[in-house]
């Protein structure tokens, strides 16, 4: 009887302790990268002005049972965050900011998309708009196969397909040379990796610029913070409201830009940030 | 000898350039409020003029996101 109680207590402590570790840890690995794809994301910041074209590098980390897509800056930041978990908050934050602040980012692309996690068939979008938001979706993307199949991109023979998603029509080039049902952003569901995808108005474009099969263990991380669960439409509203709030902070000197010319440029830049990838 | 000299100069220039990039953003003050759990700090941005922004957040993720966003607004 005594032994049984001891066993139960031991099991209880293990469950409680492991639960505590999972809850308290802000970031932890959920898979390891098998294939690492880097995409150039070219987009207009202002949908009405073609001179506002920007481009940032984004990475698709394909693991054995899930994938994660985010900006190159976030990819590096996650790794630094995990590496510095034993450091105090200030040292860890200062180090991460100092080492990654030069990497191009955009308010419009400050998100992560994880597919097939926590279970197969689920897709989660984690976006930053002053707070962390999460949009959960099912992986049900419908494609129309097109006739074109003679294009070579990055050395891969590609075929064309079309889909409509969140207010835009997209054309995708995918390759059967890499028979993986994956792609940048939320895109998936083709018989091969999406090598290039752009919307009909050419306001958002993702193009593969490198692909590596990793032979060493490189983790895919999950940020375990408390997200606000919402719908995609409401996230778009939250992001707009966050952009307005940033504008207010510059105008009220809460973000103190010493040079007037630079301040005017920043205000103009934030005001012109309106080309959300999802249109509702 | 010439090759070594050129290589040396290139290394020095590279180190200088990397340090310049790293020096763009730094946290200059820091306070932690135990009552609210808020980590507050002032960040200095150096990109064609010195600018400042303050961040107050409770989590690592929120802090880094806010700081990077401010960098983008000011310097991007």
């Amino acid at each position: 009887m005594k032994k049984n109680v001891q066993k139960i207590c031991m099991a209880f402590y293990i469950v409680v302790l492991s639960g505590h570790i999972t809850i308290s840890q802000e970031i932890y690995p959920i898979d390891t990268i098998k294939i690492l794809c880097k995409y150039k994301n070219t987009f207009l910041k202002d949908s009405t002005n073609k001179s506002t074209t920007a481009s940032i590098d984004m990475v698709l980390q394909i693991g054995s049972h899930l994938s994660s897509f985010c900006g190159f800056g976030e990819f590096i930041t996650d790794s630094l965050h995990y590496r510095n978990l034993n450091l105090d908050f200030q040292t860890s934050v200062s180090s991460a900011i100092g080492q990654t602040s030069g990497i191009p980012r955009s308010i419009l692309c400050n998100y992560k998309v994880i597919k097939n996690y926590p279970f197969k068939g689920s897709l989660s979008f984690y976006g930053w708009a002053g707070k962390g938001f999460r949009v959960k979706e099912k992986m049900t993307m419908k494609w129309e196969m097109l006739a074109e199949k003679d294009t070579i991109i990055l050395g891969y023979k590609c075929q064309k397909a079309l889909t409509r998603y969140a207010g835009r029509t997209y054309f995708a080039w995918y390759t059967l040379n890499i028979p993986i049902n994956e792609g940048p952003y939320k895109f998936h569901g083709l018989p091969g990796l999406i090598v290039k995808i752009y919307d009909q108005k050419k306001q958002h474009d993702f193009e593969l610029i490198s692909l590596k099969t990793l032979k060493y263990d490189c983790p895919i991380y999950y940020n375990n913070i408390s997200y606000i669960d919402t719908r995609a439409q409401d996230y778009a509203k939250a992001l707009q409201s966050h952009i307005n709030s940033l504008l207010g902070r510059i105008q009220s000197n809460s973000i103190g830009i010493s040079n007037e010319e630079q301040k005017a440029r920043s205000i103009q830049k934030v005001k012109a940030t309106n080309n959300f990838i999802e249109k509702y | 000898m010439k090759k070594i000299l050129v290589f040396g100069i290139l290394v020095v220039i590279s180190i200088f350039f990397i340090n310049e990039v790293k020096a763009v953003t730094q946290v200059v003050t820091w306070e932690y409020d135990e009552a609210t759990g808020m980590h507050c700090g002032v960040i200095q941005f150096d990109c064609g003029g010195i600018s400042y922004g303050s961040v107050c957040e409770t989590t690592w993720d929120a802090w880094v996101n806010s700081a990077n966003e401010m960098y983008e607004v000011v310097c991007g």
Side-chain angles (χ1 to χ4, degrees):
Chain A
M1 179 65 182
K2 200 178 174 186
K3 275 191 176 177
N4 280 345
V5 171
Q6 276 178 339
K7 275 182 189 173
I8 291 165
C9 285
M10 188 64 84
F12 174 76
Y13 281 122
I14 289 168
V15 168
V16 168
L17 190 65
S18 60
H20 175 73
I21 289 166
T22 310
I23 290 162
S24 62
Q25 191 127 321
E26 287 177 10
I27 186 166
Y28 49 81
I30 50 175
D31 202 347
T32 50
I33 305 173
K34 303 292 173 204
I35 302 174
L36 184 64
C37 307
K38 196 186 242 188
Y39 288 86
K40 184 170 282 294
N41 176 11
T42 307
F43 57 97
L44 294 182
K45 286 185 176 176
D46 177 356
S47 60
T48 62
N49 185 351
K50 285 197 173 171
S51 72
T52 60
T53 301
S55 70
I56 62 168
D57 289 346
M58 301 192 81
V59 289
L60 174 65
Q61 306 157 67
I62 302 173
S64 53
H65 59 274
L66 60 88
S67 76
S68 176
F69 180 75
C70 63
F72 184 66
E74 284 72 36
F75 173 65
I76 301 294
T77 302
D78 277 355
S79 167
L80 289 172
H81 186 181
Y82 188 73
R83 197 188 69 185
N84 293 341
L85 271 176
N86 57 336
L87 298 180
D88 66 275
F89 195 102
Q90 182 188 355
T91 312
S92 172
V93 159
S94 305
S95 154
I97 293 169
Q99 289 182 69
T100 62
S101 67
I103 300 173
R105 298 166 192 256
S106 168
I107 298 167
L108 294 172
C109 307
N110 198 354
Y111 57 75
K112 187 182 272 187
V113 176
I114 304 184
K115 300 182 194 113
N116 292 312
Y117 182 80
F119 51 84
K120 195 171 167 55
S122 73
L123 182 155
S124 297
F125 170 94
Y126 302 88
W128 175 258
K131 290 176 186 129
F133 288 85
R134 174 171 53 198
V135 178
K136 290 179 187 168
E137 292 177 27
K138 282 181 185 162
M139 291 174 66
T140 49
M141 202 158 256
K142 287 186 178 138
W143 293 92
E144 189 182 314
M145 300 302 181
L146 303 175
E148 292 107 304
K149 50 177 70 176
D150 54 355
T151 293
I152 306 277
I153 301 170
L154 204 70
Y156 299 108
K157 194 177 173 192
C158 296
Q159 306 190 16
K160 203 175 188 183
L162 176 155
T163 192
R164 289 178 185 85
Y165 183 74
R168 294 181 192 269
T169 300
Y170 289 92
F171 295 101
W173 288 101
Y174 65 97
T175 180
L176 295 175
N177 295 359
I178 305 161
I180 299 171
N181 155 20
E182 270 294 350
Y185 193 56
K186 297 179 182 177
F187 301 107
H188 65 276
L190 284 166
L193 180 74
I194 297 172
V195 176
K196 182 178 174 71
I197 184 162
Y198 56 93
D199 73 306
Q200 199 169 26
K201 291 186 176 172
K202 298 197 172 166
Q203 293 184 347
H204 293 273
D205 180 306
F206 297 90
E207 180 163 349
L208 186 69
I209 52 173
S210 77
L211 183 145
K212 278 181 194 164
T213 304
L214 299 196
K215 293 193 170 59
Y216 49 89
D217 280 352
C218 185
I220 299 176
Y221 296 105
Y222 179 76
N223 298 78
N224 186 33
I225 61 165
S226 63
Y227 295 100
I228 299 169
D229 282 304
T230 189
R231 298 180 312 147
Q233 292 90 325
D234 294 327
Y235 174 71
K237 283 181 196 162
L239 187 54
Q240 182 60 66
S241 149
H242 178 57
I243 289 170
N244 294 343
S245 138
L246 273 176
L247 193 61
R249 289 181 65 194
I250 302 170
Q251 285 166 334
S252 67
N253 289 328
S254 149
I255 298 175
I257 304 173
S258 54
N259 180 333
E260 280 305 314
E261 195 183 317
Q262 196 179 353
K263 182 178 172 180
R265 209 169 41 239
S266 292
I267 289 173
Q268 187 52 38
K269 203 165 52 187
V270 176
K271 265 187 186 168
T273 303
N274 58 38
N275 187 24
F276 302 153
I277 189 165
E278 298 193 9
K279 286 166 69 177
Y280 297 101
Chain B
M1 184 64 189
K2 256 187 180 178
K3 278 183 185 171
I4 293 169
L5 194 65
V6 170
F7 179 73
I9 291 167
L10 284 175
V11 168
V12 170
I13 291 170
S14 306
I15 290 168
F16 176 77
F17 180 71
I18 290 163
N19 282 337
E20 280 296 291
V21 171
K22 281 184 182 172
V24 164
T25 307
Q26 55 179 317
V27 179
V28 288
T29 71
W30 192 275
E31 272 176 36
Y32 175 61
D33 183 347
E34 271 188 41
T36 58
M38 284 279 187
H39 296 266
C40 295
V42 172
I43 310 169
Q44 178 186 289
F45 304 97
D46 183 359
C47 48
I50 304 288
S51 301
Y52 294 94
S54 61
V55 176
C56 265
E57 297 285 359
T58 54
T59 65
W60 196 99
D61 208 55
W63 226 100
V64 172
N65 268 308
S66 294
N68 284 329
E69 192 170 67
M70 222 179 282
Y71 173 83
E72 190 212 331
V73 167
V74 177
C75 306

